[in-house]
C-alpha cells in the first residue's frame, strides 16, 4: 500500500494515513486475508467479531482451515456469511503427516 510506505518514509503524516485508510475502508476494499475463526467455539463471540470486522470496513474475510477436521466448520462459516466469507480449504504443513490419503488423492486430481 503506497500510503503506508509514504507514512513510513515520512512523506505523509499519521493523520493523512488515517484519511487514506478510511477511504479504502469506505470503498469496501479491505479484505482480512488470513483468519482462523473456526477455533472460536463461542457463537456469540464469533458473531461479534465478524460483525465488528464488517462494520469497521472489511468487506471480505478469508477463513482458512488448517487440517481436514476443520473443513466442514470453515465451509459452514462460509455458508453463514455467503456475501463476506471466503473458505480457504487446505492443510497446514504442520498437519500434513496426519492427512488422509483421500484428501491427497482429491488434491492430486484437482491440481
Amino acid at each position: 500500500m503506497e500510503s503506508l510506505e509514504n507514512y513510513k518514509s515520512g512523506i505523509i503524516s499519521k493523520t493523512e494515513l488515517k484519511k487514506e485508510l478510511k477511504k479504502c475502508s469506505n470503498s469496501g476494499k479491505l479484505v482480512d486475508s488470513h483468519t482462523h475463526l473456526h477455533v472460536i467455539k463461542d457463537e456469540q463471540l464469533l458473531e461479534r467479531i465478524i460483525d465488528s470486522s464488517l462494520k469497521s470496513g472489511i468487506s471480505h474475510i478469508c477463513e482458512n482451515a488448517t487440517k481436514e477436521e476443520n473443513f466442514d466448520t470453515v465451509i459452514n462459516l462460509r455458508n453463514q456469511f455467503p456475501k463476506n466469507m471466503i473458505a480457504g480449504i487446505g492443510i497446514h504443513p504442520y498437519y500434513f503427516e496426519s492427512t488422509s490419503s483421500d484428501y491427497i488423492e482429491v488434491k492430486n486430481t484437482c491440481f
Side-chain angles (χ1 to χ4, degrees), residues 30-47:
L30 296 178
V31 175
D32 189 338
S33 62
H34 194 112
T35 64
H36 296 287
L37 298 172
H38 63 273
V39 300
I40 299 171
K41 303 302 178 203
D42 182 333
E43 282 292 320
Q44 290 179 333
L45 175 60
L46 177 64
E47 288 187 21

Side-chain angles (χ1 to χ4, degrees), residues 1-110:
M1 171 185 262
E2 185 178 340
S3 299
L4 183 57
E5 293 304 317
N6 287 340
Y7 171 70
K8 287 179 181 178
S9 302
I11 297 171
I12 65 172
S13 69
K14 190 172 187 176
T15 302
E16 291 170 311
L17 176 62
K18 285 182 178 181
K19 286 180 186 175
E20 289 299 313
L21 292 174
K22 185 76 171 164
K23 281 190 226 174
C24 289
S25 173
N26 290 339
S27 67
K29 292 181 182 177
L30 296 178
V31 175
D32 189 338
S33 62
H34 194 112
T35 64
H36 296 287
L37 298 172
H38 63 273
V39 300
I40 299 171
K41 303 302 178 203
D42 182 333
E43 282 292 320
Q44 290 179 333
L45 175 60
L46 177 64
E47 288 187 21
R48 284 197 316 265
I49 290 170
I50 293 171
D51 187 52
S52 175
S53 297
L54 298 175
K55 284 180 179 175
S56 71
I58 293 173
S59 63
H60 291 83
I61 299 168
C62 184
E63 171 61 12
N64 298 288
T66 55
K67 53 188 173 182
E68 287 177 280
E69 291 82 21
N70 307 142
F71 291 178
D72 287 340
T73 307
V74 169
I75 290 168
N76 288 339
L77 274 172
R78 164 55 176 102
N79 291 339
Q80 274 183 269
F81 303 93
K83 294 180 181 177
N84 306 99
M85 187 75 64
I86 301 162
I89 303 299
I91 304 291
H92 189 281
Y94 183 79
Y95 297 108
F96 189 75
E97 291 297 320
S98 62
T99 301
S100 75
S101 58
D102 290 343
Y103 171 78
I104 295 170
E105 183 178 331
V106 169
K107 179 193 165 288
N108 290 337
T109 303
C110 294

